[in-house]
Amino acid sequence: MVGDLQALSDLAASYSVGIAYEAVAWGTYIDTWEESLRVVQDVNRGNFGLCLDSFHVAARVWGDNTVESGIREDADLDLRKSLDRFVETCPLDKIFYVQLSDGEKFVLLLRPGHRF
């Protein structure tokens, strides 16, 4: 994957285009900002950076649609720790895009038999 993303970055660079890479909370392999930052660092191209999406950060670390409250146990503390790690470890020049978004709490919890 890294080789493919490097090739894509090189092609994009020839057009003066940057690429913002984003983890999605339901991703099979890359589902946290830490993992997407690792990919960005592995790709190691000046025009390849991080997309930080508030929904996916919160959905992975804070929210839980399988419980009645919709919130993970220790969610506030875990989110704070994640954001502190972000501030400590993410180089500012690798933040290409910040997306502030929201989500909804499912009325029907994600349990066996749910349509999702």
Side-chain angles (χ1 to χ4, degrees), residues 59-71:
R60 192 71 180 121
V61 177
W62 190 84
D64 184 349
N65 280 321
T66 66
V67 297
E68 190 68 35
S69 69
I71 303 169

Side-chain angles (χ1 to χ4, degrees), residues 31-72:
D31 61 355
T32 65
W33 70 262
E34 290 99 337
E35 291 166 352
S36 58
L37 179 58
R38 179 185 49 79
V39 170
V40 165
Q41 291 169 331
D42 288 348
V43 170
N44 195 25
R45 295 293 193 268
N47 68 325
F48 192 83
L50 186 67
C51 172
L52 184 67
D53 185 326
S54 64
F55 171 83
H56 290 289
V57 171
R60 192 71 180 121
V61 177
W62 190 84
D64 184 349
N65 280 321
T66 66
V67 297
E68 190 68 35
S69 69
I71 303 169
R72 294 179 185 276

Side-chain angles (χ1 to χ4, degrees), residues 21 24 41 43 52 66 79 81 85 100:
Y21 186 79
V24 293
Q41 291 169 331
V43 170
L52 184 67
T66 66
L79 182 59
K81 287 179 181 179
R85 282 192 310 277
L100 301 176

